Amino acid sequence: MSIQDYINSLDERSRQVLFAVIESYIHKPEPVGSRFVTKKYPMGFSPATIRNIMADLEELGLLTQPHTSAGRVPTDRGYRYYVDSLLKPESSVPRDPYAEMMRDFARRIDAIKNDLTVLFHEVTDTLSQMSNYVGVVLPPKPAKTVFSRIDLMKYRDGNVVALLLMDDGVIRNKVIKVDPELTQDDLNRIAEYLNGEFHGKTLDEMTEMLVRLMHDEKALWDKMISRAIEVCNQTLRFSGEDLYVSGLYDAMDLPDFSDINRIRQLSRAIKDKHTILRLLDEFANTEGVHVVIGRESSASELQNLSIVASSYRDGGRPAGVVALIGPTRMDYSKAIVMVDTVAHCISQAFDEHR
Amino acid sequence: MSIQDYINSLDERSRQVLFAVIESYIHKPEPVGSRFVTKKYPMGFSPATIRNIMADLEELGLLTQPHTSAGRVPTDRGYRYYVDSLLKPESSVPRDPYAEMMRDFARRIDAIKNDLTVLFHEVTDTLSQMSNYVGVVLPPKPAKTVFSRIDLMKYRDGNVVALLLMDDGVIRNKVIKVDPELTQDDLNRIAEYLNGEFHGKTLDEMTEMLVRLMHDEKALWDKMISRAIEVCNQTLRFSGEDLYVSGLYDAMDLPDFSDINRIRQLSRAIKDKHTILRLLDEFANTEGVHVVIGRESSASELQNLSIVASSYRDGGRPAGVVALIGPTRMDYSKAIVMVDTVAHCISQAFDEHR
DNA sequence: CATTAGCACTCACCTCTACTGAGTGCTAAC
DNA sequence: GTTAGCACTCAGTAGAGGTGAGTGCTAATG
């Protein structure tokens, strides 16, 4: 019988004690003693009994002691058990306290769902304000979004403004350089050609087509086409995938970040976004709420941090991810409800949208 | 004779000592003792003499002691004197070490000067990376920029994408809601009308005109005009003035921010941008580099912070501001050179641009 | 008369010690 | 199986003493 098996077969008493320790510690970040448990979570046993149980839980790696004569503190594995086995009956999580906020939220995002940038900023702001953790949104992969149209307008010098509209609302404008000889009429013809060519394609397909076109003979003798390819090529050169983040400032006030190094760690994790990006990306095609606790993610940047994430859907299919990043000592039940609800709100907003 | 007069008439010795203390303290944030000064900045006096001079400087409020038996530390007033009287002969500031970087910088911004958003991000990034302070850019007041053209494109549902081009490169796109009956042809006519009406106007003048138009009789019977007004009204509703900021993460590594409260203070100052915005705004119409040290700005948020700022010009006239925000214990000479040089680079990029 | 050597003094900082109290593990009794 | 009792551990605090960097003052010096 492996440790995992032992953990899975915890008896009710042990579960109660573990639950008590974790809830208490989440409420107030101080090691929890046996006497304290008997007082605040009375279950008819003396401190000595609780001590025995706690010792068992420590042996299983669910709790640990900061030092010999201190109370117990949950380990990452402890939180994991808490999240998986103690919170799972989701009905027990009280959604009501947030219902009001969420109705309000749903109303607000309804008004701005046309502009994804504004929408996602609103989402991260709301998430972080409500939770005091760091709110994150992974926007839909632009590569998977469907081309709607491109417009080209002459600007100053030899510059042209390219406006790229995608079907789901991702709008991008970019100043590109072209042959200054081109007139607006030329540009219109180029845009028209591109609109026809790329109609209904995803960005991925577009770039693929572009590569093919560039080797096509037709492009060699038709100047207009070769120019169109050039324009398109410039426009599609993206600023890379981005991530909406907010709430670092509020999170800094959490007791978990009273240590300067913890703050640095958190901000570093947020600063070079690709760690988080890679992690969230894994959830982009899944359903439901996921929780990653501390070292569970192999990324060392996230050692003392946990992530609660859920994908949201656009037209039934998973599109992007919303998440909360906080300390491992996180109010998981609260965070899970929030992330879940917000994800649903977004999915719903998208659905009404089409 | 006021204290200020005494300060202005410091003799050479005192100036030398003050200079030594401040330079040393900027180099390493530890109280500077008399013995240390005689060793590292030999000027032919014994520690005792230096002590007497230091006592005088303290009486004038230029230095202070953290506690009785510690060395001296500069006060805000001390830094002020240092900046005004000891650094002013600008020729003494060595520009060379940065010359290389700056050439590089000039080349880089040359490539992106068409897109102000990208440009300003690049500027704050460069400033903060080179200095380890927080780089800030106040973009040109959109209200003062000159209208170039507006384009309207039908999007999904009853939505329209409005693309607003301004003469200096501020480009803004916005999804607005209009009467779904409007065809693309209608939109084109509306845009044409607006382009004619607003040609060469600033945003300020545009809003003004808009108010006037809305009370004009013509608007009442010409449906096209009234729609145009509506569209324009929606488009001009801005997301408010913004501020480009970057470098908080790097600044956190400065010893000045090893105290958690200092970090919180700094991030709070950056978070609600309007304090900084108001401060920088004062410099928007001035020339040259300005330095605000600690409490000199009445804003309590900036107590332990200093700002080195300079306006940059667009077409000869001051347009916006670049700045560095750091601890009062800042390397002012370095910061001043950087801000000054960067401001010049931007001005130059704009000039070549027209 | 400016400068300096000498000296007493101050005070942050470090270390050592002792004490306290919260909490534990173990064992024997219930 | 549960619990009372007890010895033990250890972080945290407070006080005492020593150290050293630095000062202010005064009297001697050139």
Side-chain angles (χ1 to χ4, degrees), chain A residues 16 39 61 90 120 214 246 256 335:
Chain A
Q16 274 181 25
K39 285 213 162 178
E90 280 198 37
F120 288 143
M214 275 158 63
S246 93
D256 309 78

Side-chain angles (χ1 to χ4, degrees), chain B residues 226-354:
Chain B
S226 84
R227 267 169 176 157
I229 291 172
E230 170 56 19
V231 164
C232 196
N233 206 10
Q234 280 194 55
T235 312
L236 293 189
R237 238 182 264 140
F238 276 144
S239 47
E241 255 180 310
D242 44 357
L243 203 57
Y244 296 78
V245 179
S246 94
L248 176 58
Y249 306 106
D250 302 311
M252 285 191 345
D253 288 333
L254 293 174
D256 308 77
F257 298 109
S258 59
D259 177 20
I260 186 119
N261 287 316
R262 289 286 167 89
I263 290 200
R264 291 203 177 128
Q265 192 194 4
L266 174 63
S267 24
R268 219 168 301 133
I270 290 174
K271 188 192 176 188
D272 39 84
K273 306 186 169 182
H274 51 265
T275 310
I276 296 171
L277 226 148
R278 205 161 351 116
L279 189 60
L280 293 189
D281 212 44
E282 291 175 28
F283 303 137
N285 290 312
T286 63
E287 300 235 338
V289 179
H290 298 260
V291 181
V292 179
I293 298 165
R295 321 185 84 105
E296 286 181 359
S297 81
S298 49
S300 60
E301 295 94 320
L302 303 173
Q303 273 200 18
N304 298 295
L305 303 174
S306 284
I307 298 187
V308 175
S310 166
S311 69
Y312 54 84
R313 290 182 303 285
D314 184 6
R317 280 207 278 141
V321 180
V322 299
L324 276 173
I325 302 179
T328 44
R329 186 194 73 88
M330 201 183 197
D331 189 337
Y332 290 97
S333 76
K334 187 169 132 191
I336 289 172
V337 173
M338 282 185 181
V339 166
D340 194 37
T341 316
V342 167
H344 275 100
C345 283
I346 298 177
S347 303
Q348 206 173 326
F350 281 159
D351 280 350
E352 289 165 12
H353 194 30
R354 357 206 94 240

Side-chain angles (χ1 to χ4, degrees), chain B residues 55-102:
Chain B
D56 293 345
L57 291 171
E58 177 157 18
E59 217 168 318
L60 292 173
L62 298 170
L63 296 179
T64 189
Q65 286 179 287
H67 57 87
T68 323
S69 72
R72 292 327 203 277
V73 157
T75 62
D76 287 0
R77 198 192 274 176
Y79 285 123
R80 167 55 57 197
Y81 186 87
Y82 171 77
V83 168
D84 285 353
S85 309
L86 302 175
L87 285 183
K88 263 297 148 63
E90 280 198 37
S91 54
S92 74
V93 178
R95 261 161 205 273
D96 299 356
Y98 312 115
E100 176 65 26
M101 278 192 243
M102 280 308 166

Side-chain angles (χ1 to χ4, degrees), chain B residues 193-250:
Chain B
Y193 168 76
L194 291 172
N195 281 327
E197 204 71 11
F198 291 137
H199 181 259
K201 298 274 187 292
T202 64
L203 262 190
D204 258 358
E205 292 164 344
M206 285 169 70
T207 33
E208 196 186 311
M209 272 181 72
L210 209 60
V211 174
R212 214 167 46 236
L213 276 172
M214 274 158 65
H215 292 96
D216 201 345
E217 335 176 358
K218 222 163 101 193
L220 298 175
W221 55 261
D222 189 330
K223 203 155 187 190
M224 197 273 281
I225 294 185
S226 84
R227 267 169 176 157
I229 291 172
E230 170 56 19
V231 164
C232 196
N233 206 10
Q234 280 194 55
T235 312
L236 293 189
R237 238 182 264 140
F238 276 144
S239 47
E241 255 180 310
D242 44 357
L243 203 57
Y244 296 78
V245 179
S246 94
L248 176 58
Y249 306 106
D250 302 311

Side-chain angles (χ1 to χ4, degrees), chain A residues 8-163:
Chain A
N8 289 338
S9 62
L10 283 187
D11 60 2
E12 191 50 30
R13 279 191 336 179
S14 309
R15 290 163 55 90
Q16 274 181 25
V17 172
L18 179 59
F19 186 78
V21 171
I22 295 184
E23 292 267 304
S24 164
Y25 190 68
I26 284 177
H27 180 66
K28 198 151 164 279
E30 272 165 21
V32 185
S34 55
R35 209 179 110 84
F36 181 87
V37 170
T38 57
K39 285 213 162 178
K40 296 284 171 169
Y41 301 81
M43 44 185 109
F45 299 116
S46 78
T49 310
I50 302 295
R51 279 205 288 282
N52 288 331
I53 299 171
M54 280 172 148
D56 292 346
L57 291 172
E58 178 159 16
E59 216 168 318
L60 292 173
L62 298 170
L63 296 179
T64 188
Q65 286 178 288
H67 56 86
T68 322
S69 72
R72 295 319 205 280
V73 157
T75 61
D76 287 0
R77 197 192 274 175
Y79 286 123
R80 167 56 56 200
Y81 186 86
Y82 172 76
V83 169
D84 285 353
S85 309
L86 302 176
L87 285 184
K88 261 299 149 59
E90 280 198 37
S91 54
S92 74
V93 178
R95 262 160 204 272
D96 300 355
Y98 312 115
E100 178 63 28
M101 279 193 243
M102 281 307 167
R103 259 196 303 281
D104 190 53
F105 174 69
R107 218 175 305 123
R108 247 181 311 152
I109 71 169
D110 200 60
I112 52 172
K113 64 189 175 195
N114 292 308
D115 193 330
L116 281 196
T117 313
V118 181
L119 171 65
F120 288 143
H121 274 125
E122 185 70 27
V123 170
T124 55
D125 282 351
T126 308
L127 269 178
S128 63
Q129 271 166 37
M130 283 174 49
S131 67
N132 281 321
Y133 302 131
V134 176
V136 181
V137 169
L138 179 69
K141 273 213 186 315
K144 301 291 178 209
T145 60
V146 176
F147 175 81
S148 172
R149 65 183 282 188
I150 190 168
D151 278 282
L152 303 171
M153 277 142 294
K154 236 178 141 49
Y155 197 36
R156 292 163 312 180
D157 313 330
N159 294 317
V160 163
V161 178
L163 181 72

